[in-house]
Amino acid sequence: MTEKKRNTKNDISSILMLIALVCLMAGGWYIARKKARFKEAASLPFYKIELSQIADGEYEGQTMTSFLHLRLLVTIENHQLKNIEVLENDGLDGETAKPIIQEMIKQNKVVVPAIKGAELGSLVYISCVSTALNLPE
């Protein structure tokens, strides 16, 4: 094998090792970031809401995380979730998780199953609605 071919082989090996290292580092960063977001979502306030105790009216809730800023206007009529209007929705999973609003209204519950593929955003929506309806005693 000539010296030139050996150097080319070494260069290719070095480049491939560098690419592998960059991929591993990027994967580690992605996993760490995802874990941090799940931890943040799990630490959001979630209140037990009895809709039978909530008077008719409009209630505004806001939940801000590092990955999603959400502000909602929740309308209650006859102890039923009548409407949930999105006032601000900026960030990761905000649009993908939006169908959870219709599930809340349909089931007349604040806590409903998360939208598949948008679990983090779903938790933010649930927290935001429960925060809006958590009345001071």
Side-chain angles (χ1 to χ4, degrees):
M1 209 193 247
T2 67
E3 186 66 29
K4 189 174 183 180
K5 281 186 179 180
R6 195 172 307 133
N7 284 342
T8 304
K9 239 182 179 180
N10 286 339
D11 289 346
I12 290 172
S13 294
S14 296
I15 290 170
L16 288 175
M17 285 195 304
L18 182 61
I19 290 171
L21 179 63
V22 168
C23 288
L24 284 172
M25 289 174 61
W29 174 80
Y30 176 77
I31 290 169
R33 190 168 158 203
K34 193 165 185 130
K35 275 184 169 181
R37 286 180 177 160
F38 271 111
K39 188 174 180 180
E40 183 180 5
S43 70
L44 289 171
F46 297 95
Y47 303 100
K48 184 175 181 180
I49 303 298
E50 294 293 333
L51 290 173
S52 62
Q53 304 298 312
I54 307 293
D56 287 358
E58 293 183 331
Y59 302 88
E60 189 172 319
Q62 178 174 303
T63 302
M64 302 288 182
T65 66
S66 63
F67 58 89
L68 179 60
H69 295 194
L70 188 64
R71 202 164 55 102
L72 303 173
L73 185 64
V74 181
T75 304
I76 301 291
E77 270 184 32
N78 297 320
H79 307 292
Q80 304 269 329
L81 286 169
K82 197 64 171 177
N83 188 39
I84 301 172
E85 180 183 348
V86 177
L87 303 175
E88 180 183 353
N89 180 358
D90 184 30
L92 177 73
D93 276 355
E95 283 301 314
T96 313
K98 200 172 180 181
I100 201 166
I101 291 173
Q102 292 311 311
E103 274 307 304
M104 290 176 174
I105 293 169
K106 180 179 160 188
Q107 295 184 30
N108 197 42
K109 291 181 178 180
V110 174
V111 179
V112 297
I115 301 298
K116 187 169 175 68
E119 290 81 3
L120 291 176
S122 296
L123 289 173
V124 175
Y125 273 91
I126 292 168
S127 176
C128 194
V129 171
S130 77
T131 300
L133 299 176
N134 184 42
L135 306 174
E137 297 181 22

